Amino acid sequence: MRPDTASLPDASIAELRALLDRREVSSVEATRAYLDHIGAVDGAVRAYLQVTEDVALQQAAEADARLAAGETGPVLGVPMALKDLISTEGIETTCGSRILRGYRPPYDATTYARLRKGGAVLLGKLNMDEFAMGSSNENSAFGITANPWDLSTVPGGSSGGSAAAVAAREAAFTLGSDTGGSVRQPAALCGVVGVKPTYGRVSRFGLIAFASSLDQIGPFTRTVEDSALVLSLIAGHDPLDSTSVPLAVPDYASALGGDLRGLRVGVPDEYFVEGIEPGVEGAVRAAIEQLESLGAQAVRVSLPSTGYALATYYIIAPSEASSNLARYDGVKYGYRSPEGEDLIETYLRTRDEGFGPEVKRRIMIGTYALSSGYYDAYYLKAQKVRTLIKAEFDRVFEQCDVIAAPTSPSVAFKLGSRTADPLSMYLSDVLTIPPSMAGIPAINVPCGFSDGLPVGLQLICKAFDEATMLRVAHAYERSTEWHLRRPPLLISVAGS
Amino acid sequence: MELTSEEVRHIASLARLGLTDEEVETLQAQLGDILGHVNQLNELDTGNIPPTAMVIAVQDVVAEDEPRPSFPVDVMLANAPERKGNYFRTKAVLGYET
């Protein structure tokens, strides 16, 4: 029976794969269904900065030709979208910043190149906090994105567009980037699966740099299986990124399944402290009990430096950003201020007019921390604390196989509620930053609702042990129905 | 801890940010709050702890010294705000036009 194409955006990658392989639907039909759906809902969600309709239909036609020739593959013909800091040759890539408006990269990021090789279809580029700095998407130079579960709340950030697009069925999957929680926190707030791989697992060639010792690209999907499929494709060594590691990439999807008997789940005291909303704590505790009912054994563990990770991050990430963002000078690409009598004046004006307030704030913090006389007190000190944080995780992973904790201390908060106080916004990432500092992988899985808004469970594993992390997340997901709930927005669209 | 406006202006000039007076005033307070928060790291004794710059054990990655094609000049100049021939054009470095 021929499926109703209007419902295609509800399919997971695995479900769409089956329809495409059985030739019950073509990639062009699926792509058109997504484009129509984006047209219907994105006026309210505003996840997309740019919909690349012509590119998408062209790539879909190419995918259909490959399918007709008997080829298959996890993402062949599957429509997806990218956070607007992943370079796409000839397609505007802004990083959510005025300073890069109109910039068309001369090459593809390796992640995009790998997805294209696999036949994925690019629907467009997604909104984000400027230069990935933020936890609400409100720092974008190009307008705000709304959370599909409640349009008066934020989608989280900095990959807010990537999370909202998947929640609103505006792409079968998306890619985002995570420096201190920018995949996991918006995934939690939008009720989708989001993966931050181990530092070095995925090539960052063509990812516009924020903090180079932390940045990683990861997928957003509606199911854990879909994240496993996408991660297997984008992971692996890339000679163009010397920080990508030359380790073989497992077939993550085929490693899913089985029960959790014998698995030790660490529950760190420090992740259930003051500041965690009761509705979040309740849902996460219930999820841990669910893991126990699946055969896992919960173990109480301690990560005493957790409370210091945020401070460590707000030295290291801005320091690296102040260095990385020195390249935006109005000479080689992007915005140039028409003011300025000489070159220095042009730099000063270009950067003041081109960057938004949060980016300037971070450049200032980083420049201060790296400046003469302060380096030892700030950057070096933070790097030493980073050693402590990493050593604590190493010790805890002698007592357990996976750590379970909340992803975000709160559900989605109201638009505008934290913009006046940078520190209150920074606290949104207090539970995602520690694994980032240690470079280890973590995933967000939907684990319930509080006040009608999604709550996320964070599962954290040892470096390069994504397979265990995905297996546990998958077992949990299969035993619950949270991932099957649909945002009210979709019900009203379907009913209209 | 509050920074003085002179300190904020000094940092801004190092970062090549031509801040307005209003921005200097806002950042004075905000940077003070943020630095106040990060100063809690001083509670930790890190005397014998080595710093971590890199969390994975990858070291000294070198590429083979083999020639390969570069991007054409026109492609590299395509995003330039202003070009002159095969060069990026900028305002004069030394304060006068040539």
Side-chain angles (χ1 to χ4, degrees):
Chain A
M1 196 186 87
R2 195 163 183 80
D4 163 25
T5 55
S7 67
L8 277 177
D10 259 332
S12 67
I13 299 175
E15 289 162 351
L16 184 57
R17 170 84 276 120
L19 293 172
L20 289 164
D21 285 346
R22 292 200 302 263
R23 314 295 301 280
E24 288 176 23
V25 68
S26 69
S27 177
V28 168
E29 285 170 325
T31 301
R32 281 199 194 281
Y34 271 106
L35 291 169
D36 289 347
H37 183 64
I38 292 167
V41 302
D42 208 51
V45 179
R46 299 182 300 276
Y48 279 86
L49 288 176
Q50 182 189 180
V51 177
T52 52
E53 180 168 346
D54 294 346
V55 170
L57 290 170
Q58 169 71 32
Q59 292 180 347
E62 289 166 18
D64 281 333
R66 287 166 67 175
L67 284 159
E71 198 180 326
T72 186
V75 298
L76 180 57
V78 176
M80 58 86 191
L82 303 172
K83 185 178 184 180
D84 205 23
L85 45 38
I86 294 174
S87 297
T88 43
E89 184 181 342
I91 297 170
E92 186 181 10
T93 300
T94 66
C95 220
S97 181
R98 191 169 176 227
I99 211 159
L100 278 175
R101 182 187 278 170
Y103 170 66
R104 291 170 190 274
Y107 50 78
D108 286 334
T110 295
T111 44
Y112 178 52
R114 286 186 179 172
L115 291 177
R116 283 295 302 133
K117 195 171 166 226
V121 171
L122 180 70
L123 291 168
K125 305 298 289 286
L126 298 160
N127 201 12
M128 56 180 287
D129 284 299
E130 184 178 6
F131 282 97
M133 298 176 188
S135 309
S136 70
N137 251 46
E138 292 164 297
N139 294 334
S140 169
F142 306 117
I144 53 171
T145 296
N147 189 314
W149 291 91
D150 175 349
L151 298 173
S152 71
T153 65
V154 303
S158 67
S159 311
S162 302
V166 169
R169 275 64 173 168
E170 294 182 79
F173 71 94
T174 62
L175 295 186
S177 63
D178 190 313
T179 303
S182 283
V183 166
R184 291 160 284 158
Q185 184 259 8
L189 271 47
C190 290
V192 298
V193 177
V195 177
K196 185 206 90 78
T198 309
Y199 182 83
R201 181 79 282 188
V202 176
S203 167
R204 299 176 303 165
F205 178 74
L207 171 73
I208 296 177
F210 162 16
S212 302
S213 77
L214 297 159
D215 299 340
Q216 265 292 290
I217 294 173
F220 288 88
T221 58
R222 285 193 300 273
T223 68
V224 174
E225 181 188 14
D226 283 359
S227 271
L229 291 170
V230 175
L231 186 60
S232 287
L233 271 186
I234 61 172
H237 181 247
D238 175 11
L240 298 172
D241 175 2
S242 60
T243 63
S244 71
V245 296
L247 284 176
V249 180
D251 179 352
Y252 294 115
S254 72
L256 302 176
D259 63 32
L260 301 183
R261 263 175 294 182
L263 183 93
R264 298 165 303 166
V265 178
V267 183
D269 288 344
E270 294 82 0
Y271 283 66
F272 296 88
V273 291
E274 197 192 326
I276 310 294
E277 288 179 358
V280 170
E281 171 158 4
V284 172
R285 296 256 185 221
I288 292 165
E289 283 173 24
Q290 180 71 12
L291 292 173
E292 289 183 278
S293 78
L294 296 171
Q297 178 202 347
V299 189
R300 199 171 159 188
V301 297
S302 179
L303 293 157
S305 297
T306 300
Y308 295 100
L310 187 73
T312 311
Y313 179 83
Y314 275 97
I315 295 170
I316 290 176
S319 294
E320 295 179 7
S322 73
S323 171
N324 274 325
L325 272 59
R327 72 190 67 177
Y328 303 102
D329 56 6
V331 173
K332 303 177 293 295
Y333 40 70
Y335 174 75
R336 175 191 290 184
S337 171
E339 312 294 326
E341 290 298 305
D342 57 19
L343 187 61
I344 295 286
E345 183 72 15
T346 301
Y347 292 158
L348 293 170
R349 296 266 51 86
T350 294
R351 290 164 62 79
D352 190 50
E353 294 162 19
F355 291 134
E358 181 61 30
V359 173
K360 284 188 252 192
R361 198 150 41 231
R362 304 244 188 142
I363 291 174
M364 290 291 288
I365 299 167
T367 306
Y368 181 83
L370 294 176
S371 64
S372 175
Y374 294 106
Y375 178 86
D376 285 5
Y378 289 102
Y379 193 65
L380 191 65
K381 177 82 184 182
Q383 286 191 317
K384 290 179 174 180
V385 179
R386 191 172 187 180
T387 306
L388 291 176
I389 293 168
K390 187 173 182 299
E392 284 176 8
F393 275 111
D394 290 345
R395 272 200 301 279
V396 161
F397 282 122
E398 289 169 9
Q399 304 160 44
C400 64
D401 306 296
V402 58
I403 293 169
T407 302
S408 161
S410 74
V411 293
F413 44 93
K414 291 284 180 193
L415 285 158
S417 64
R418 295 187 187 176
T419 44
D421 179 4
L423 259 182
S424 77
M425 187 71 86
Y426 296 173
L427 285 164
S428 311
D429 292 327
V430 69
L431 304 177
T432 49
I433 282 176
S436 297
M437 297 309 299
I440 54 183
I443 186 171
N444 176 76
V445 196
C447 74
F449 288 80
S450 172
D451 297 330
L453 292 166
V455 176
L457 168 70
Q458 182 176 210
L459 297 170
I460 306 163
C461 269
K462 280 183 278 216
F464 302 107
D465 195 15
E466 283 87 355
T468 299
M469 183 179 88
L470 290 161
R471 190 168 65 79
V472 178
H474 182 249
Y476 173 77
E477 181 191 74
R478 272 194 315 175
S479 71
T480 64
E481 295 193 333
W482 307 118
H483 63 292
L484 300 176
R485 294 232 195 145
R486 294 157 53 87
L489 171 86
L490 298 177
I491 295 158
S492 67
V493 167
S496 66
Chain B
M1 68 178 275
E2 181 116 329
L3 299 180
T4 66
S5 62
E6 289 71 30
E7 283 176 303
V8 173
R9 283 181 206 284
H10 172 64
I11 300 299
S13 87
L14 292 175
R16 295 284 186 259
L17 288 170
L19 301 179
T20 63
D21 290 347
E22 203 184 344
E23 286 179 309
V24 169
E25 202 180 311
T26 309
L27 281 168
Q28 235 183 298
Q30 290 178 340
L31 296 185
D33 283 352
I34 295 162
L35 291 171
H37 179 82
V38 303
N39 277 334
Q40 63 170 274
L41 294 187
N42 294 327
E43 296 164 9
L44 293 170
D45 178 8
T46 52
N48 297 315
I49 311 285
T52 294
M54 186 74 177
V55 284
I56 50 165
V58 172
Q59 286 178 334
D60 300 337
V61 177
V62 293
E64 291 301 317
D65 188 15
E66 286 169 352
R68 54 190 164 118
S70 299
F71 283 101
V73 172
D74 277 339
V75 172
M76 285 293 103
L77 285 168
N79 281 293
E82 207 180 342
R83 70 180 277 186
K84 185 178 183 183
N86 276 352
Y87 299 95
F88 295 103
R89 186 180 165 92
T90 68
K91 291 280 182 182
V93 177
L94 298 173
Y96 55 86
E97 296 286 339
T98 52

